[in-house]
Structures are given as C-alpha cells and as structure tokens.
C-alpha cells in the first residue's frame, strides 16, 4: 500500500513538473520579436538605427526603417540619410540599395526561446554573419533583444531596445 501511495505521489510530482515546464516555455514564446527595435553599436555605444522585425511566412526578417547616428551621415558624404547606399553589400542583400529599407536580418526561425538559422549583415563592412536572436535574459517585459552575429568561434552581440 505504501508503494502505491509513494508511486502516485511521484507521478503527481512528475506531472506537475512537466506542466510547469510547458507553461514556462509557452510564456517565453509569447514574447514576440516582431516590432521596431532601436540598435545600439556595441563598439561605440551610439544609437544607430531603428530596425523593423517582421514575419514573412514562418520566418522572421528585419529591415532598417530609420537611421539615427549623425556620424553615419557625416562619414557617408551625403546630405540626407535617405541617400546613403549599401555599397559594400553582396548582391543577395542589395548592393547599392539605400540603407533605409535594406533587409539586414534574413530567414530567422523560432527555435524554442531563440531565433536562429538565418543571417545578418553589417552594412558598413558588407559582411554576412550567421545570426542568433533572443530576448534579454533579465527582461520579463520583452523590451530588450540580444542579437548575435557570428562566424566560427568569433561573434559580436548587441542589445536592441523595443521602440513600439
């Protein structure tokens, strides 16, 4: 009789553990990355742009919708942000396309609490990196995003902040 009670207690505990784990995973997944995000350069600390992340089919993409850094304008030799083009971008990202409207994040897929399987480009250097995106670890409201571009063992991670 004691074995049956002990076994039923174990089954109840395991059931509760599984239910709690599934609920926690659902809660993480409800934090959606779709929206507008302010980028901050991890090397200079300057606010660079607004990126709109959107869903196309089952994949997530991100495009520049606004440039914010006056240094970007100054270094480009242009008079308006709208005139700056991605002259270093490879063809599949849009060589000589305006930076505003340029899709810099491509083909990300949700994999549990992260988004992976896609790529991100650094328009300044024209280099394409494998990309991983996740919500900030300590951010329960879903207002920070960690964006990592990487090649082999080398990576850079930026924190982006939700605009709307």
């Amino acid at each position: 009789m004691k074995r049956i009670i002990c076994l039923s207690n174990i089954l109840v505990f395991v059931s509760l553990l599984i239910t709690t784990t599934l609920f926690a995973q659902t809660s993480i997944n409800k934090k959606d990355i779709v929206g507008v995000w302010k980028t901050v350069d991890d090397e200079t600390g300057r606010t660079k742009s607004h990126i709109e992340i959107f869903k196309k089919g089952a994949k997530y993409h991100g495009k520049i919708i606004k440039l914010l850094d006056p240094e970007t304008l100054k270094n480009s030799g242009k008079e308006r942000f709208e005139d700056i083009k991605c002259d270093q971008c490879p063809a599949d990202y849009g060589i000589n396309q305006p930076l505003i409207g340029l899709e810099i994040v491509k083909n990300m897929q949700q994999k549990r609490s992260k988004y992976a399987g896609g790529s991100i480009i650094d328009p300044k250097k024209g280099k394409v990196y494998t990309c991983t995106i996740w919500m900030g670890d300590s951010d329960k409201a879903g207002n920070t995003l960690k964006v990592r571009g990487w090649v082999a063992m080398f990576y850079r991670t930026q924190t982006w902040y939700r605009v709307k």
Side-chain angles (χ1 to χ4, degrees), residues 50-54 61-65 101-105:
H50 284 173
I51 306 293
E52 178 184 13
I53 295 183
F54 56 95
H61 301 262
K63 66 181 176 181
I64 299 171
I65 60 170
L102 183 70
E103 203 170 290
I104 65 166
V105 176

Side-chain angles (χ1 to χ4, degrees), residues 32-155:
D32 199 0
I33 65 170
V34 171
V36 178
W37 299 87
K38 176 177 67 173
T39 67
V40 177
D41 190 300
D42 59 307
E43 293 175 336
T44 66
R46 292 196 313 264
T47 302
K48 301 292 272 181
S49 63
H50 284 173
I51 306 293
E52 178 184 13
I53 295 183
F54 56 95
K55 195 170 182 181
K56 194 181 337 178
K59 296 186 179 183
Y60 294 82
H61 301 262
K63 66 181 176 181
I64 299 171
I65 60 170
K66 188 175 188 180
L67 295 173
L68 302 167
D69 186 11
E71 284 296 314
T72 302
L73 189 60
K74 180 181 170 187
N75 294 336
S76 73
K78 305 290 183 187
E79 293 184 24
R80 304 175 324 140
F81 282 121
E82 292 81 7
D83 297 330
I84 302 174
K85 298 194 185 231
C86 190
D87 54 0
Q88 300 294 320
C89 288
D92 57 333
Y93 273 84
I95 190 165
N96 292 320
Q97 295 298 310
L99 282 184
I100 297 175
L102 183 70
E103 203 170 290
I104 65 166
V105 176
K106 290 188 175 189
N107 299 316
M108 302 299 293
Q109 297 175 32
Q110 186 171 3
K111 297 183 181 189
R112 296 189 186 218
S113 61
K114 293 188 178 191
Y115 299 79
S119 59
I120 188 167
I121 188 167
D122 178 347
K124 184 176 180 183
K125 298 176 184 173
K127 298 203 184 233
V128 178
Y129 302 94
T130 302
C131 186
T132 304
I133 298 174
W134 67 96
M135 289 290 181
D137 295 331
S138 62
D139 181 15
K140 302 291 183 210
N143 291 322
T144 60
L145 200 60
K146 297 293 186 175
V147 179
R148 177 172 290 166
W150 52 276
V151 173
M153 301 179 300
F154 305 100
Y155 65 87

Side-chain angles (χ1 to χ4, degrees), residues 7-24:
L7 184 57
S8 67
N9 285 342
I10 290 171
L11 288 174
V12 168
F13 175 76
V14 170
S15 296
L16 286 172
L17 182 64
I18 290 171
T19 304
T20 304
T21 303
L22 290 173
F23 178 74

